[in-house]
Amino acid sequence: MTGSKGNGALLDLEIREAPTHLVPVGLRWRVTGNGIPINLGRADPTDTVRVAHRDVCAARPRHDVSRLLAHWRTTAGLAAAQAEL
Ligand SMILES: [Zn+2]
């Protein structure tokens, strides 16, 4: 999923769904019906959110997403993420 516009810039969204509680505030995104990514800020309206690929990229690891990356590495986490696709 690439090429969506976010805050006026191109946003490369991660293809996996992320459990909201594992995503730091400010990194939580939702895609509208028009395909526009909206940053949810402090809102926590759903069980899962989207994240930008840059924030979970293995090439530039961030400390604050380590719990999310650990979740994705588990079998259950992987199955849940793929079920959303
Ligand atoms: Zn990457």
Side-chain angles (χ1 to χ4, degrees):
M1 175 88 51
T2 60
S4 299
K5 290 255 184 188
N7 293 345
L10 215 57
L11 186 71
D12 185 10
L13 288 177
E14 174 62 35
I15 195 166
R16 292 168 289 189
E17 293 273 339
T20 305
H21 69 283
L22 294 180
V23 181
V25 168
L27 303 186
R28 300 169 179 175
W29 295 84
R30 170 181 284 174
V31 180
T32 70
N34 296 331
I36 308 297
I38 303 293
N39 192 289
L40 296 173
R42 294 197 160 275
D44 193 357
T46 56
D47 291 341
T48 60
V49 292
R50 301 292 299 278
V51 294
H53 176 76
R54 64 178 183 229
D55 293 329
V56 292
C57 184
R60 289 165 293 168
R62 291 173 57 120
H63 174 70
D64 58 357
V65 296
S66 59
R67 287 174 62 224
L68 173 60
L69 296 178
H71 168 76
W72 274 339
R73 282 193 295 268
T74 67
T75 303
L78 197 62
Q82 291 177 339
E84 299 291 336
L85 300 178

